[in-house]
Amino acid sequence: MPELPEVQTIVTGLTQLVLGEQIQTVCFYRDNIRFPLLKSWKKSIEGQRIDQIQRRAKLIIMTLDQGYLLWHMGMTGSLRLCSSDEPKRQHDHVEMTLSCGRILRYHDPRRFGYLKYFKDEKKLLDSFAHYGVEPLSEAFNEQYLWQLSRGVRQPVKNFIMNQKIVVGVGNIYACEALFIAKIHPETAAGKVTKKSYKNLINSIKTVLQTAIKQGGTTLKDFENAEAKPGYFQQALQVYGRKAQPCLTCQTLIKTVKLGGRNSFYCPNCQ
DNA sequence: AGACAGACCTGTGAGC
DNA sequence: TGCTCACAGGTCTGTC
């Protein structure tokens, strides 16, 4: 599920809905998701106010008045705000009752996501130490990608999905951006020219910005903070379209496994 | 060091 | 209808 646009969609929604709210009670319905949910966090979090909600990479940072909540949605996670009478669903693992009476619920069937609590900003920042640049920032440009990729034999698709290089680009948007830039996903990253990287940078930025505008991509179970789906899936040109005609040239879309992930491409355009 | 496979989980859909 | 199998948006760990 959540790549950068989906996480951004949740952050934007939650910012409008819960900023300034006090977290009155915290309930962990299990003692771990991907990582342990420490019992001691409950007391620390209760009573704190939500001052700010931000995104870094695919992570959601909630700044409280005396600490930080760091959420990762994994593959199937979602955070949504429910009314007080809405019953808990299967796979709701964490819930926080807010001063407005509504309940913030973390739902994650596969439990690949996580929640961490930090008192200390330094420890929070350590979580991001190994991350690459933000794809929508100016630091993400063709010179940056071109320089880092010299000598790299790894396929370019794996290269742009490497969070140490650039954050937030997952399987869907990597496939879409490579299609728009007309680059075959298996091309060695070190063999891609500076000019092609310029096209790729532009297509990554465009595809992410368009997806954010449309509220993300809903394939199966993505929903935003108000439990609404995204609409970007209607704009997907190659992802999920195996054996269907390319929208540009009618050649049938093919797939190849790269880094264990299915990669969709047009053998003619790319 | 870099690149890959496998692991973590559950739900869904295809095929028999 | 009901079973089994492959596969799914991410990332961490271990191994070569």
Side-chain angles (χ1 to χ4, degrees):
Chain A
M1 185 256 302
E3 299 185 28
L4 185 148
E6 290 74 36
V7 177
Q8 186 62 52
T9 300
I10 296 172
V11 166
T12 307
L14 284 180
T15 299
Q16 291 164 3
L17 296 168
V18 306
L19 223 56
E21 292 291 332
Q22 188 190 43
I23 300 169
Q24 295 192 322
T25 59
V26 174
C27 185
F28 297 143
Y29 286 107
R30 47 183 306 126
D31 56 14
N32 72 307
I33 23 184
R34 183 181 183 88
F35 300 127
L37 294 166
L38 302 187
K39 284 208 179 85
S40 62
W41 291 349
K42 178 177 152 68
K43 274 224 168 93
S44 305
I45 298 167
E46 284 177 352
Q48 292 206 52
R49 189 183 59 233
I50 303 171
D51 281 343
Q52 194 178 31
I53 304 174
Q54 296 164 279
R55 178 193 61 73
R56 169 76 176 106
K58 295 170 190 165
L59 290 156
I60 297 169
I61 308 158
M62 280 188 190
T63 305
L64 309 180
D65 49 287
Q66 292 173 61
Y68 302 88
L69 292 173
L70 184 67
W71 304 86
H72 194 296
M73 302 289 112
M75 290 264 244
T76 52
S78 59
L79 261 178
R80 71 187 201 289
L81 197 60
C82 310
S83 62
S84 58
D85 56 357
E86 197 176 317
K88 170 180 155 337
R89 297 187 297 185
Q90 193 185 9
H91 307 304
D92 280 348
H93 306 306
V94 176
E95 66 179 42
M96 296 183 182
T97 308
L98 306 179
S99 43
C100 60
R102 299 225 264 176
I103 306 168
L104 186 63
R105 287 200 170 108
Y106 178 69
H107 177 86
D108 188 358
R110 284 175 77 180
R111 306 205 301 271
F112 282 179
Y114 59 81
L115 168 65
K116 289 181 182 176
Y117 173 70
F118 299 100
K119 264 211 151 78
D120 185 5
E121 189 181 13
K122 196 182 166 301
K123 292 230 171 89
L124 170 79
L125 294 176
D126 284 347
S127 317
F128 309 128
H130 61 286
Y131 277 140
V133 300
E134 283 285 334
L136 297 176
S137 70
E138 286 185 17
F140 185 56
N141 55 48
E142 70 265 28
Q143 180 68 22
Y144 172 81
L145 269 196
W146 185 78
Q147 259 180 359
L148 280 180
S149 63
R150 291 311 89 189
V152 174
R153 282 176 296 177
Q154 189 184 32
V156 63
K157 174 166 177 272
N158 301 30
F159 183 68
I160 59 167
M161 285 179 66
N162 182 344
Q163 304 294 302
K164 289 177 190 155
I165 307 291
V166 55
V167 300
V169 183
N171 201 28
I172 300 177
Y173 299 111
C175 292
E176 292 298 309
L178 285 164
F179 173 76
I180 295 168
K182 299 186 186 301
I183 299 170
H184 194 290
E186 286 180 296
T187 315
K191 293 273 157 99
V192 175
T193 63
K194 206 183 234 182
K195 191 171 168 233
S196 290
Y197 271 128
K198 185 168 188 183
N199 290 336
L200 183 56
I201 296 273
N202 287 338
S203 60
I204 290 173
K205 289 180 193 265
T206 305
V207 94
L208 292 177
Q209 277 162 344
T210 310
I212 290 171
K213 273 190 203 141
Q214 304 199 15
T217 302
T218 300
L219 290 183
K220 287 197 178 114
D221 40 21
F222 172 68
E223 54 187 27
N224 66 16
E226 294 173 281
K228 304 259 171 59
Y231 293 97
F232 189 71
Q233 70 279 11
Q234 292 157 13
L236 295 177
Q237 299 189 70
V238 284
Y239 187 88
R241 300 193 62 249
K242 185 180 183 180
Q244 292 180 45
C246 168
L247 299 174
T248 304
C249 74
Q250 312 303 314
T251 306
L252 299 186
I253 300 297
K254 282 192 158 180
T255 61
V256 59
K257 267 251 190 316
L258 294 174
R261 319 294 296 278
N262 225 355
S263 311
F264 298 81
Y265 68 100
C266 169
N268 182 42
C269 294
Q270 297 171 262

